[in-house]
Amino acid sequence: MDNTKKNDRRISIVLNGKEKLYDELVKDKREYEELLNEEIAATQEKEDRAREFEWILPESSSEDPSKKVVDLGERRKDKEKLLAPYWDDGKSDKSPKLPPNNRKKKRFDFRSLPLGLIGIVMSAIIVGVSFGFMMLTIFTGEKLETATANFPVQTPSRVEQPVALAPGQVPILGVEVVQGGAFSLVAKGQEVAEELQNKGFASALTKSTEPVFLFIGLGLDREQANVVAEEYKANGQEVYVKPYAVTPNGTVETDEQGIFLETGVSLFEKLTLLSINGLAASGTLVNEENMNELATIYEKLVSIEAPFSDNDIQSERSLAFQSALTNAYQKMQSYSEAKDENILWQVQQYLLNGLIEYEELSKTFN
């Protein structure tokens, strides 16, 4: 036995307190070299793939790769990431992310809102708009436009010929009024109207509207009404210009009644035209020719006696309308002689009265 050990020429080495034969060490070395070669190949493959996706993956560290510790678990995860499909659906954790400006943007969808919330919002909007219109109606009666400044023309717009009326039809009286306010209480409106009249201006309150409108002047069109509005604005009065038309729905019973109304409306329009010309151009149209034409229309009106004698209410209101026109005509005659602008405001006053009375008369027709 001792001879056998002596003849055994194998070499053994003690490593870390353990005896290992040379053959075993050679075998371990070979296994280590194979493992190392596999790691090197895997590292080279990773670097090749990294170059293909270098715009996605972070830049490689400047440190010496030989000093890094290889983690097989991390290698496996990196390999799985590289093999994953290339798209960005916004949901997959493994897919590479596109730059922010190329990603799909999420848009707000109103259909995702609860129906109850939408109903509450729409109800609030409707209530708010309705309340706004109600307040506007209370204070102004409707959406009114502020009078704009216009230079007075030498010759105001000519009155268009009346539209032919059907037999028995009550004529429409349409003007542009200058409004000085709207009041829920008649007493308050009357107080303001009296203040304006005491200053020499014109004013009249509507009788059957809610709220009560305060009219302080009128013209046949917007340009003429703005002439009156500028006079008030120069005196610090806030004004609004708007269209206003008396549109009767009924019919007259006799031809005499129809002639009376048509003549009255024609006289009203002629007086309005001349009064505006006096304010705008110092009465260039208030000449002998136009005054004779005015007199002819007036005489035709007063020649029709008691056209509504069969109806007490219509008779009373037609007389009030005729009385307003008579006073306006007489004041215009005075202006043609004196050329005093203050007289024109009296003409405007009687024309406003006539407009209100014609509106009241028109309501009596069926």
Side-chain angles (χ1 to χ4, degrees):
M1 183 180 218
D2 293 337
N3 292 334
T4 303
K5 290 183 179 180
K6 290 179 180 180
N7 293 331
D8 189 358
R9 295 181 179 273
R10 292 180 297 177
I11 300 173
S12 62
I13 299 173
V14 177
L15 183 63
N16 294 332
K18 295 182 180 180
E19 182 178 347
K20 285 187 177 284
L21 297 178
Y22 176 76
D23 293 338
E24 295 176 355
L25 292 175
V26 172
K27 182 179 179 182
D28 291 343
K29 179 182 179 181
R30 186 166 50 253
E31 292 176 354
Y32 174 76
E33 289 177 349
E34 291 177 356
L35 177 61
L36 181 60
N37 290 334
E38 290 178 359
E39 295 298 333
I40 292 173
T43 302
Q44 185 63 36
E45 181 182 0
K46 177 185 176 182
E47 292 177 353
D48 292 341
R49 290 182 179 276
R51 280 193 293 272
E52 296 176 3
F53 299 95
E54 58 183 2
W55 64 279
I56 298 175
L57 298 177
E59 297 180 358
S60 60
S61 174
S62 60
E63 296 181 3
D64 186 359
S66 64
K67 296 181 180 180
K68 294 183 177 180
V69 178
V70 178
D71 189 335
L72 295 180
E74 292 295 331
R75 296 290 186 188
R76 190 177 298 109
K77 290 181 180 180
D78 292 339
K79 187 174 181 180
E80 291 177 355
K81 290 180 179 180
L82 293 174
L83 294 177
Y86 174 68
W87 67 79
D88 183 8
D89 58 5
K91 300 179 180 179
S92 176
D93 295 333
K94 296 182 179 180
S95 59
K97 301 300 180 182
L98 294 175
N101 59 340
N102 291 333
R103 293 182 186 174
K104 296 179 181 179
K105 297 180 179 180
K106 295 182 178 180
R107 297 182 179 178
F108 181 76
D109 189 359
F110 285 98
R111 291 175 296 181
S112 62
L113 292 175
L115 294 178
L117 179 60
I118 295 176
I120 293 174
V121 173
M122 294 302 296
S123 299
I125 293 174
I126 294 172
V127 171
V129 172
S130 301
F131 181 76
F133 275 109
M134 181 181 68
M135 297 301 296
L136 182 63
T137 302
I138 291 176
F139 288 101
T140 63
E142 61 180 283
K143 186 177 180 182
L144 305 170
E145 300 179 8
T146 303
T148 57
N150 287 294
F151 293 101
V153 294
Q154 292 297 322
T155 304
S157 303
R158 297 180 61 185
V159 180
E160 297 181 0
Q161 293 297 326
V163 179
L165 300 175
Q169 183 177 351
V170 180
I172 296 173
L173 178 56
V175 294
E176 292 276 338
V177 296
V178 181
Q179 181 172 309
F183 305 91
S184 57
L185 298 177
V186 177
K188 181 60 179 177
Q190 188 63 44
E191 179 181 344
V192 178
E194 291 176 359
E195 291 178 359
L196 289 173
Q197 290 175 2
N198 292 334
K199 293 179 181 180
F201 293 108
S203 62
L205 295 172
T206 56
K207 295 182 178 181
S208 56
T209 61
E210 293 184 4
V212 176
F213 298 138
L214 173 63
F215 295 158
I216 56 179
L218 55 80
L220 297 180
D221 54 29
R222 181 59 57 92
E223 183 181 3
Q224 293 183 16
N226 281 336
V227 172
V228 180
E230 288 302 313
E231 295 285 341
Y232 281 106
K233 290 173 65 176
N235 287 273
Q237 174 69 37
E238 185 178 356
V239 297
Y240 304 93
V241 177
K242 70 176 185 180
Y244 194 82
V246 179
T247 55
N249 295 323
T251 57
V252 295
E253 296 179 356
T254 65
D255 293 339
E256 190 177 49
Q257 293 176 353
I259 295 173
F260 174 85
L261 296 176
E262 290 179 16
T263 306
V265 170
S266 178
L267 180 61
F268 183 97
E269 292 175 345
K270 187 70 173 181
L271 287 167
T272 301
L273 173 64
L274 295 179
S275 68
I276 294 298
N277 177 257
L279 292 172
S282 301
T284 56
L285 294 181
V286 185
N287 50 37
E288 183 179 357
E289 179 182 357
N290 284 322
M291 291 303 297
N292 288 336
E293 182 181 350
L294 187 67
T296 300
I297 299 174
Y298 174 73
E299 290 172 1
K300 181 180 180 180
L301 177 69
V302 297
S303 65
I304 306 172
E305 298 181 0
F308 299 96
S309 57
D310 294 338
N311 187 312
D312 292 340
I313 297 177
Q314 290 180 344
S315 178
E316 179 182 353
R317 292 180 179 177
S318 65
L319 287 175
F321 175 57
Q322 180 178 334
S323 175
L325 292 178
T326 298
N327 290 329
Y329 169 70
Q330 292 174 349
K331 291 298 179 182
M332 183 56 66
Q333 282 186 318
S334 299
Y335 173 76
S336 68
E337 297 174 359
K339 299 294 183 182
D340 183 359
E341 185 175 303
N342 293 326
I343 300 176
L344 295 175
W345 288 107
Q346 297 177 30
V347 176
Q348 282 278 309
Q349 177 65 63
Y350 289 121
L351 289 174
L352 289 174
N353 294 344
L355 175 65
I356 302 302
E357 295 300 337
Y358 188 77
E359 183 175 31
E360 294 301 309
L361 174 60
S362 67
K363 294 176 182 179
T364 63
F365 300 106
N366 298 320

